[in-house]
């Protein structure tokens, strides 16, 4: 059995690796990324997402305290989360929309996804992403409810990433997703458990179940689309998966909030 000190060291290293993977925070990990450390550390992705959600919730609370409307507070919140993540997931969503929507062949789609320029499909996808998330947060309005929704959305949307990486093969031999490798079953299970717990604690069992169903369906549809069009997943596909999940959970939180 691994000594407690060594176990704690590995947990901290995984948390730092996960934070480096999804944010621009200066928390460099001590584990080299080439030896499968990234794949093993994916269990901590929902915890890294929770950190992003808490930062957004803090900004929303401060904005409301200073008398800003929920609409303006929601915009500042989205700006904060995009800044912390370096808009990594938004970039993945835009590239995925451009590649899957614009190319005719597998090779051309992958080429488009690697292009740093953004096209019409990418712009439309970003407008929809920011618009839906902004509308959902503004509809929820209450700082406490917004905080719960943000934590649930950012944790749960990343909780499915390890499973997606494990079940859907990389579309190319190089790139972020291929270099990370396939997460082990233990990391997949822990990430799923953490994400589910975040949903239940933040939204309650009923809403959490709805969120899980929607996330699962979205993941299956995106996986099928990615396999059919480009032969698997890439880092951009993973970013798109996170964005879709984040949107769905916020919409679930907003719809139930409006129904009260």
């Amino acid at each position: 059995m691994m000594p407690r000190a060594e176990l704690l060291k590995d947990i901290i290293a995984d948390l730092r690796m996960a934070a480096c993977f999804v944010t621009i925070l200066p928390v460099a990990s001590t584990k080299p990324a080439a030896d499968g450390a990234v794949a093993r550390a994916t269990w901590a992705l929902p915890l890294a997402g929770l950190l992003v959600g808490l930062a957004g919730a803090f900004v929303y609370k401060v904005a409301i305290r200073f008398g800003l409307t929920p609409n303006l507070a929601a915009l500042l919140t989205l700006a904060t989360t995009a800044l912390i993540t370096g808009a990594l997931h938004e970039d993945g969503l835009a590239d995925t929309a451009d590649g899957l929507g614009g190319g005719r062949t597998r090779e051309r789609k992958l080429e488009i996804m690697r292009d740093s320029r953004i096209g019409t499909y990418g712009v439309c996808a970003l407008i929809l992403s920011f618009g839906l998330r902004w509308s959902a947060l503004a509809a929820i309005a209450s700082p406490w409810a917004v905080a719960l929704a943000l934590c649930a959305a950012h944790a749960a949307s990343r909780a499915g990433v390890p499973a997606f990486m494990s079940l859907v093969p990389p579309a190319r031999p190089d790139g972020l997703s291929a270099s990370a490798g396939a997460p082990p079953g233990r990391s997949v299970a822990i990430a799923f458990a953490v994400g589910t717990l975040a949903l239940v604690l933040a939204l309650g069992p009923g809403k959490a179940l709805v969120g899980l169903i929607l996330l699962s369906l979205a993941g299956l549809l995106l996986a099928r689309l990615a396999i059919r069009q480009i032969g698997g997943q890439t880092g951009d596909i993973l970013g798109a998966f996170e964005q879709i999940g984040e949107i769905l959970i916020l919409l679930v939180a907003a719809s139930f909030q409006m129904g009260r």
Side-chain angles (χ1 to χ4, degrees), residues 24-256:
I24 59 171
L25 298 176
V27 286
S29 175
T30 56
K31 285 186 177 181
D35 69 347
V38 172
R40 291 195 301 272
T42 52
W43 68 266
L45 288 178
L47 296 178
L50 183 62
L51 180 64
V52 177
L54 287 172
F58 175 77
V59 170
Y60 187 92
K61 175 66 175 179
V62 171
I64 293 295
R65 180 65 63 88
F66 276 88
L68 296 183
T69 65
N71 284 327
L72 291 174
L75 283 175
L76 290 175
T77 297
L78 292 178
T80 299
T81 57
L83 178 63
I84 291 176
T85 61
L88 175 69
H89 311 302
E90 285 83 359
D91 179 70
L93 175 66
D95 286 343
T96 296
D98 279 334
L100 300 187
R104 289 185 176 272
T105 66
R106 174 183 180 274
E107 291 71 22
R108 179 55 181 156
K109 290 176 184 293
L110 289 171
E111 181 183 348
I112 292 173
M113 292 172 71
R114 274 185 160 171
D115 194 334
S116 60
R117 294 171 295 181
I118 187 171
T120 302
Y121 287 109
V123 170
C124 291
L126 288 177
I127 290 174
L128 284 173
S129 175
F130 277 101
L132 288 171
R133 288 182 290 160
W134 167 68
S135 299
L137 291 174
I140 296 172
S142 165
W144 176 245
V146 164
L148 292 176
L150 283 170
C151 289
H154 282 278
S157 62
R158 291 166 175 84
V161 170
F164 199 96
M165 294 173 66
S166 179
L167 296 174
V168 183
R172 51 188 174 222
D174 57 348
L176 177 62
S177 180
S179 63
R186 181 178 180 181
S187 295
V188 172
I190 294 175
F192 178 80
V194 172
T196 301
L197 181 62
L199 279 175
V200 172
L201 293 179
L203 304 181
K207 304 170 193 177
L209 179 59
V210 173
L212 283 174
I213 292 173
L214 291 177
L215 283 173
S216 299
L217 290 175
L220 289 173
L221 290 174
L222 182 60
R224 182 179 180 184
L225 185 64
I227 291 174
R228 289 183 62 182
Q229 293 206 21
I230 60 175
Q233 47 91 2
T234 66
D236 287 328
I237 295 291
L238 298 179
F241 176 76
E242 188 282 333
Q243 283 285 281
I244 294 170
E246 192 178 323
I247 292 167
L248 289 174
I249 296 303
L250 288 179
L251 288 178
V252 167
S255 63
F256 280 98

